[in-house]
Amino acid sequence: MSASSVMFDVFVIGGGINGCGIARDAVGRGYSVILAEMNDLASGTSSGSTKLIHGGLRYLEHYEFRLVREALMEREILWRNAPHIIWPMRFVLPLHKGLRPAWLVRLGLFIYDHIGGRKRLPKTRTLDMRSDPAGKPLKASYRRAFEYSDCWVNDARFVVLNARDAANRGADVRVRTRVISAEDENGTWKVRIQNLLTGEIETVRARYLVNAAGPWVDHVISGVLGQNDVHNVRLVKGSHIVVRRKFDDPRAYFFQNADGRIIFAIPYEEDFTLIGTTDQDYDGDPKDVAISDSEVDYLCAAASEYFSEPVTRGDIVWTYSGVRPLFDDGASKAQEATRDYVLKSETARGGAPMVHVFGGKITTYRKLAESALEKIAGALGPKGQPWTHAGALPGGEFPFDGYDAQVEALMRDYSFLDRHHAARLVRLYGLCARDLLGDARSVDDLGRHFGVDLYEAELRYLATHEWAVSGDDVLWRRTKRGLRLSQEEAAAVDTFMREISGMHNQAANAGGGHA
């Protein structure tokens, strides 16, 4: 049955974390859902984050107490629901003379520890940097620090797993699918979409429209919906650099800068350190976003203020940038613009309802989705109750502290896997690693070898179950193996994915993921 012959309850525009989260929540309550993403899932802002599930300690300075509290309460919920891609991380905040005084930092951390319902994450403690291993990579002038808790997330996989769960529950997820127009026809939406791989155009009908297009949200309003030029969002660019590993400690660093901003230095993909982020207003096309020379210089200088061994351009192995679609609240500085989300409901002339999603952060995506569902229920009538607080994401159906046990179990059942390979598969796929490996009894059963520990079986799994169609989808969003493959190996991955993508572009909707 074609999409044009049925009426969906909800049409979601945008395959970032907010769009996929809303689609997942809605279909889980019993609404029929279709989602269209013009590029790859998480190809925009949602894969350009600092990879943290955090309350946002610095937001306390801007009195965003509700946002911080909501985000802090979400940390342990999300960790419990996705223990393969989310895990606790301790952050070391060295005190810097002439910047925020120790009493103010400690007060902020006391609030941070106590307003968010922290249960499993350890509380703040004070460090003597002259004796603690965390002081070893830093300059000797940093003698005291505070250590506090937040969580790490594999952001791109977080998005894909929300989409996978939505599809498992019956949602129609379309990637590489552009929304051409959306018209109100007698109180319902007539949406024209185009498959960008085949060129095919079709018409889809829906009772409710969700505009979760991220940096393109205003473009959807003016271009797709045909309204006049609008300006609801403030686009703020955040850039990161990835360098060769600067320290061996598993903890991350939270560095204060003289300009009042902060940056993080975080252990990344075992052999690297992630440093970011910047905050700059952006007025270009979001698809063209890239780090600037001045941002590179800023991040290198800010990190070098703390590390005894300076961070230089020669250390950089990768950079990435994202555009945050913040609600334009008139703040004078980019870093002061609210990170809170804003949902604006509208009704088209004929009565067709819609909601536009502005702002938000990856940590609060689930609460944003629940707020969107309240609006959907108000327009279409209520269905199921909120459920995602206890809904594990695919592959995450094991105890929050059970990652190591899952690695051991996978090595026991697939004895040809070395520990590094098994650990990576569990980190990315959780229990779904078994679906990927299938009946394999040797490395040869995994098919063609593309470099490091990347085999044909994994690429085929990503095409069939996770909508991957290109080398970038695999290497820079779903696996980060791009950090380790040569240019020739990466090109081979891209060629292979493009060869099989025609068969598998929409196949992921057929199910087959770990339920």
Side-chain angles (χ1 to χ4, degrees), residues 92 94 125 127-139 142 145 147 247 249 251-253 255 307:
V92 176
R125 69 188 187 108
L127 303 180
D128 182 342
M129 299 295 270
R130 293 168 294 186
S131 58
D132 192 281
K136 186 177 179 182
L138 303 186
K139 293 177 179 177
Y142 297 103
E147 179 187 305
F247 52 90
D249 201 286
R251 290 170 289 185
Y253 292 93
F255 293 151
F307 288 120

Side-chain angles (χ1 to χ4, degrees), residues 138-311:
L138 303 186
K139 293 177 179 177
S141 57
Y142 297 103
R143 300 189 172 189
R144 188 179 174 205
F146 295 116
E147 179 187 305
Y148 69 96
S149 292
D150 264 322
C151 289
W152 167 268
V153 63
N154 186 323
D155 54 2
R157 292 211 56 74
F158 200 34
V159 177
V160 168
L161 294 182
N162 270 273
R164 178 68 265 163
D165 198 37
N168 286 350
R169 296 172 186 275
D172 187 349
V173 177
R174 308 285 191 96
V175 301
R176 266 73 180 196
T177 300
R178 181 170 66 97
V179 177
I180 300 171
S181 64
E183 299 175 7
D184 181 345
E185 190 175 76
N186 302 320
T188 60
W189 291 102
K190 183 175 77 171
V191 186
R192 293 178 69 234
I193 59 176
Q194 181 179 29
N195 182 319
L196 297 178
L197 294 180
T198 66
E200 178 186 0
I201 296 175
E202 64 179 301
T203 299
V204 175
R205 300 181 185 277
R207 299 168 63 202
Y208 196 97
L209 187 69
V210 176
N211 176 11
W216 292 272
V217 64
D218 277 350
H219 170 75
V220 168
I221 295 172
S222 59
V224 173
L225 297 172
Q227 298 182 16
N228 294 329
D229 283 346
V230 292
H231 181 79
N232 296 289
V233 295
R234 179 174 187 168
L235 299 181
V236 175
K237 179 171 71 164
S239 296
H240 299 76
I241 59 175
V242 175
V243 302
R244 295 178 183 85
R245 188 169 63 186
K246 297 295 291 185
F247 52 90
D248 296 327
D249 201 286
R251 290 170 289 185
Y253 292 93
F254 178 117
F255 293 151
Q256 305 176 74
N257 301 334
D259 61 1
R261 296 205 63 257
I262 61 97
I263 63 164
F264 294 98
I266 305 171
Y268 188 64
E269 294 292 319
E270 297 184 327
D271 297 323
F272 306 95
T273 299
L274 172 64
I275 298 173
T277 179
T278 58
D279 259 323
Q280 293 186 353
D281 283 310
Y282 183 76
D283 58 7
D285 189 323
K287 72 177 175 59
D288 298 326
V289 65
I291 195 168
S292 66
D293 285 341
S294 63
E295 287 177 301
V296 171
D297 291 341
Y298 176 86
L299 292 174
C300 287
S304 298
E305 178 74 18
Y306 286 83
F307 288 120
S308 56
E309 178 186 293
V311 177

Side-chain angles (χ1 to χ4, degrees), residues 336-370:
E336 293 174 358
T338 182
R339 265 57 177 173
D340 211 345
Y341 54 83
V342 176
L343 306 181
K344 291 180 68 174
S345 296
E346 284 186 20
T347 302
R349 289 180 181 176
M354 60 183 139
V355 66
H356 307 293
V357 179
F358 304 104
K361 45 199 248 100
I362 203 163
T363 306
T364 52
Y365 92 100
R366 196 190 65 81
K367 296 297 289 184
L368 182 153
E370 288 188 340

Side-chain angles (χ1 to χ4, degrees), residues 294-330:
S294 63
E295 287 177 301
V296 171
D297 291 341
Y298 176 86
L299 292 174
C300 287
S304 298
E305 178 74 18
Y306 286 83
F307 288 120
S308 56
E309 178 186 293
V311 177
T312 68
R313 286 175 172 269
D315 296 327
I316 299 173
V317 296
W318 183 45
T319 68
Y320 67 89
S321 301
V323 179
R324 308 180 190 96
L326 305 181
F327 186 71
D328 193 353
D329 61 357

Side-chain angles (χ1 to χ4, degrees), residues 9-10 23 25-33 207 373 376-378 380-384:
D9 291 324
V10 181
D25 194 338
V27 74
R29 299 193 198 203
Y31 296 101
S32 56
V33 177
R207 299 168 63 202
L373 263 294
I376 292 170
L380 304 185
K383 289 203 172 183

